[in-house]
Structures are given as structure tokens and as C-alpha cells.
């Protein structure tokens, strides 16, 4: 969940905030790297003549298709319910 400052408020599957500063630092660094790589890919594609919408869709699909390799080891409730109240 993004805060008003644009940073993410990292939380566990129950919605409780992650408090460990080292964990937050790693999560934020990973997200920054991912954003920069996605930005670079978008810019490269546009400069090579690709359709911007197609590039954005391909990047979004890549995220959607990520696989959780720890699924068998985590409880079933490891995902926060994002459905409306």
C-alpha cells in the first residue's frame, strides 16, 4: 500500500506493518531497482518504435505472471485480501 509520500507501507498478510528497518530497506531497494529496470525497458522499447501501450501491457503481464516459489511453505492466508469492504 502506497502512502501519501509515494513510499510503500510494507505489511504482513494480516495487515500489520513490517517494523524491521533492514527488511524495509531491502524491500524499498528491490522496488526501486524494479522501477528503474521497467523504466529503462519502456524507454528502450519506445526508442525502438514499439507501441507504448503494448510495452506497458507486457511489463504488467510480467509482474502478474511472477511465481511464488515459497507457496507450499507459507500459510494459505499469506496474501492480504484486496477486495472492497
Amino acid at each position: 500500500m502506497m502512502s501519501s509520500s509515494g513510499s510503500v507501507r510494507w505489511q504482513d498478510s494480516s495487515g500489520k506493518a513490517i517494523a524491521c528497518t533492514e527488511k524495509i530497506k531491502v524491500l524499498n531497494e528491490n522496488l526501486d531497482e524494479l522501477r528503474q529496470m521497467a523504466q529503462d525497458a519502456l524507454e528502450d522499447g519506445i526508442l525502438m518504435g514499439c507501441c507504448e501501450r503494448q510495452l506497458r501491457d507486457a511489463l504488467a503481464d510480467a509482474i502478474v505472471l511472477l511465481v511464488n516459489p515459497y507457496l507450499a511453505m507459507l500459510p494459505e492466508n499469506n496474501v492480504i485480501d484486496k477486495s472492497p469492504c
Side-chain angles (χ1 to χ4, degrees):
M1 173 177 284
M2 298 284 283
S3 72
S4 60
S5 67
S7 62
V8 176
R9 179 187 174 271
W10 298 106
Q11 52 193 9
D12 65 16
S13 59
S14 70
K16 181 181 171 195
I18 301 291
C20 174
T21 56
E22 282 303 309
K23 288 180 182 180
I24 293 169
K25 179 181 175 185
V26 170
L27 291 165
N28 287 336
E29 287 174 354
N30 288 344
L31 186 57
D32 287 344
E33 288 176 25
L34 181 60
R35 285 178 177 151
Q36 187 57 58
M37 288 178 62
Q39 182 66 44
D40 292 345
L42 180 70
E43 291 173 13
D44 288 348
I46 290 170
L47 289 174
M48 290 186 276
C50 289
C51 169
E52 181 180 347
R53 178 76 264 148
Q54 183 183 23
L55 288 163
R56 289 180 180 277
D57 289 346
L59 291 168
D61 288 347
I63 298 300
V64 168
L65 296 174
L66 291 174
V67 175
N68 177 356
Y70 309 107
L71 193 58
M73 297 184 302
L74 296 172
E76 288 184 37
N77 63 348
N78 191 44
V79 177
I80 296 172
D81 183 10
K82 297 274 186 176
S83 61
C85 296

